[in-house]
Amino acid sequence: MSSMKIPMSSPDIRADEIQAVTKVMQNPILSMGEMVSGFEAALARLTGSRHGIAVSSGTAGLHICLIAAEVSSDDLVITSPFSFVASANVILYQRGIPVFVDVDERTGNIDPEQAEQAILSLRDDRGADWLPPAFKDSTSIGDIRALLPVHVFGQPAEMQVLSRVAADYGLAVIEDACEAVGAEYNGQPAGSMGDASVFAFYPNKQLTTGEGGLVVTSNDQWEPLLRSLRNQGRDVFDAWLTHSRLGFNYRMDELSAALGLAQLARINDLLGNRAQVAELYSERLKEIPGVAVPEVVPSTTKMSWFVYVIRLDSEVERKRVMRELEAVGIPSRPYFSPIHLQPYYIERFGWREGQFPIAERLGRTSLALPFSGVMSEEQVDYVSDHLARAMQAL
Ligand SMILES: *Cc1c(COP(=O)(O)O)cnc(C)c1O
């Protein structure tokens, strides 16, 4: 077998998309123009939402959603430690406190029953077990403001239960749909079930704008607030250089929006190609002893493949497999490394190993293989064959 160099991920950008971006540069409006408003309308339509607000990143989008949900100093937000660090960092930007809840073994998504237990326990004032260790004896804990479920790897979280829990306890729901554009949960689009939902378009995501993100919401009060927060705190009716509140420069530019709009026009293709690559992988890998291929649960009526993540038996095994793959030009990554054990989180909140056993086990054994919609069958075969060999060499 000749040696190949396989990229971890690749954006899928076509000539007409490059042309769409070039065309923007031929007119003077490079920000806050028709491309941004067109992209916002198109993604709002896809999710059946009334409004779309384009932003400079998924992180920026999550941040302004937490401001809309009135998360401030010492307020609690229920979320998952098995995610990209941004979904918890935004809580810290508001000086809030993340309350982590362990995840469903099959999907890596937040466990809704445990989320409810955490809320009940915190409401009953005996919730110290759920608070970060460094805050157990704190006397200044604020209110539980929001639930922030993450649709991990493109598979929607258990939104039916989570929405019921949020309604019962009067919490806002912010969907982190950054990995799940185009996914569906029991027939409902990811991004249509929260008070606001956030998508992200970094180059390894299913749809890219370079850097970028977009918030969708059907809340008519939140919409102008989110627009204002994105644009330095200006209200639509503010005079030039009048700022009604503290805001940010979280705007998306026209070039990025033009790319996003063109990509969105063929979202079914983009997702279809990725699904095909995922299917090929699972075909090739499902019989290899010691390799567990990703599971798509019945509530995921449409999977939006973000990454292709297998599970191995142990961390030692994973290390060895990664090394052997690397030696033949195949990159692979642990995915995710749980947030509560990130050095900064340990330092600030005092979490320890053992507190979220499922997230930690997934963190130790999950391995993302090279994946994109433009991967060839030959490349999938190359990775699969070498993975099979590495597993045999046990
Ligand atoms: C990509 C991602 C984000 C945010 O992405 P940006 O890089 O800020 O655009 C947030 N949460 C999750 C789960 C993500 O995968």
Side-chain angles (χ1 to χ4, degrees):
M1 199 186 307
S2 66
S3 155
M4 290 172 106
K5 193 112 191 82
I6 314 259
M8 193 61 210
S9 71
S10 319
D12 177 354
I13 295 171
R14 289 197 321 200
D16 54 327
E17 290 159 358
I18 294 171
Q19 211 169 15
V21 176
T22 311
K23 214 171 137 208
V24 170
M25 290 188 275
Q26 290 163 349
N27 79 54
I29 300 169
L30 298 182
S31 187
M32 314 271 287
E34 284 175 5
M35 292 297 142
V36 165
S37 52
F39 187 34
E40 291 175 339
L43 200 52
R45 206 175 313 121
L46 183 82
T47 57
S49 308
R50 279 211 287 278
H51 314 286
I53 299 99
V55 286
S56 52
S57 70
T59 309
L62 288 167
H63 183 197
I64 58 176
C65 286
L66 289 191
I67 298 174
E70 296 179 20
V71 175
S72 63
S73 286
D74 296 319
D75 284 343
L76 307 176
V77 177
I78 316 279
T79 191
S80 158
F82 191 68
S83 175
F84 180 57
V85 71
S87 61
N89 278 353
V90 293
I91 302 167
L92 276 52
Y93 296 169
Q94 286 307 105
R95 307 210 151 272
I97 301 170
V99 173
F100 287 135
V101 167
D102 213 346
V103 297
D104 182 322
E105 174 98 59
R106 300 166 304 161
T107 59
N109 284 328
I110 190 166
D111 179 332
E113 275 82 33
Q114 283 199 45
E116 182 162 28
Q117 279 168 25
I119 294 163
L120 272 171
S121 171
L122 289 161
R123 281 277 159 93
D124 288 351
D125 218 35
R126 299 187 307 269
D129 283 352
W130 292 96
L131 292 172
F135 285 76
K136 269 195 192 336
D137 304 316
S138 170
T139 51
S140 64
I141 299 296
D143 291 327
I144 313 172
R145 293 284 181 195
L147 268 175
L148 199 166
V150 181
H151 303 321
V152 171
F153 305 155
Q155 176 149 236
E158 198 47 77
M159 292 306 295
Q160 206 174 327
V161 187
L162 291 168
S163 302
R164 197 266 305 153
V165 169
D168 283 358
Y169 301 95
L171 309 179
V173 178
I174 311 295
E175 277 178 70
D176 181 340
C178 289
E179 302 187 351
V181 67
E184 287 179 13
Y185 168 85
N186 291 329
Q188 279 186 283
S192 68
M193 298 167 278
D195 293 282
S197 309
V198 182
F199 297 98
F201 313 117
Y202 187 75
N204 69 341
K205 305 269 152 114
Q206 295 90 322
L207 178 164
T208 189
T209 60
E211 296 282 0
L214 203 143
V215 182
V216 294
T217 183
S218 291
N219 183 321
D220 297 335
Q221 274 82 55
W222 280 18
E223 184 249 352
L225 174 61
L226 293 167
R227 284 194 198 289
S228 169
L229 290 167
R230 160 185 81 173
N231 189 26
Q232 306 284 16
R234 284 181 64 185
D235 276 324
V236 182
F237 44 80
D238 275 348
W240 180 244
L241 293 185
T242 299
H243 304 268
S244 296
R245 60 180 60 76
L246 177 65
F248 307 87
N249 176 1
Y250 281 169
R251 296 184 301 264
M252 176 182 280
D253 62 76
E254 286 284 287
L255 291 79
S256 302
L259 179 54
L261 191 55
Q263 291 240 298
L264 193 56
R266 62 181 183 105
I267 184 75
N268 289 333
D269 264 2
L270 289 172
L271 296 181
N273 294 342
R274 295 175 87 95
Q276 232 164 8
V277 172
E279 210 171 299
L280 271 181
Y281 258 136
S282 291
E283 278 292 308
R284 305 283 191 276
L285 303 182
K286 65 174 189 245
E287 309 295 350
I288 302 177
V291 172
V293 299
E295 183 176 345
V296 177
V297 296
S299 60
T300 303
T301 44
K302 186 164 181 206
M303 178 76 183
S304 171
W305 287 93
F306 166 50
V307 279
Y308 188 86
V309 180
I310 58 168
R311 292 179 198 165
L312 303 176
D313 288 335
S314 73
E315 194 169 18
V316 177
E317 172 101 332
R318 183 175 70 181
K319 217 174 206 163
R320 190 182 57 74
V321 167
M322 285 180 73
R323 213 169 30 236
E324 291 192 21
L325 293 179
E326 187 65 53
V328 290
I330 302 170
S332 59
R333 306 257 188 279
Y335 230 81
F336 296 109
S337 183
I339 300 172
H340 66 288
L341 298 178
Q342 295 291 338
Y344 179 68
Y345 279 75
I346 291 178
E347 182 190 314
R348 178 155 164 183
F349 296 102
W351 276 299
R352 293 174 305 274
E353 216 158 316
Q355 296 199 276
F356 305 101
I358 300 174
E360 290 169 22
R361 185 160 64 246
L362 296 181
R364 282 193 301 269
T365 58
S366 294
L367 188 64
L369 299 177
F371 182 69
S372 76
V374 294
M375 230 178 139
S376 67
E377 185 162 356
E378 193 192 3
Q379 289 178 315
V380 174
D381 284 340
Y382 181 79
V383 176
S384 304
D385 290 346
H386 279 288
L387 181 66
R389 244 183 249 194
M391 296 304 294
Q392 272 166 15
L394 200 62

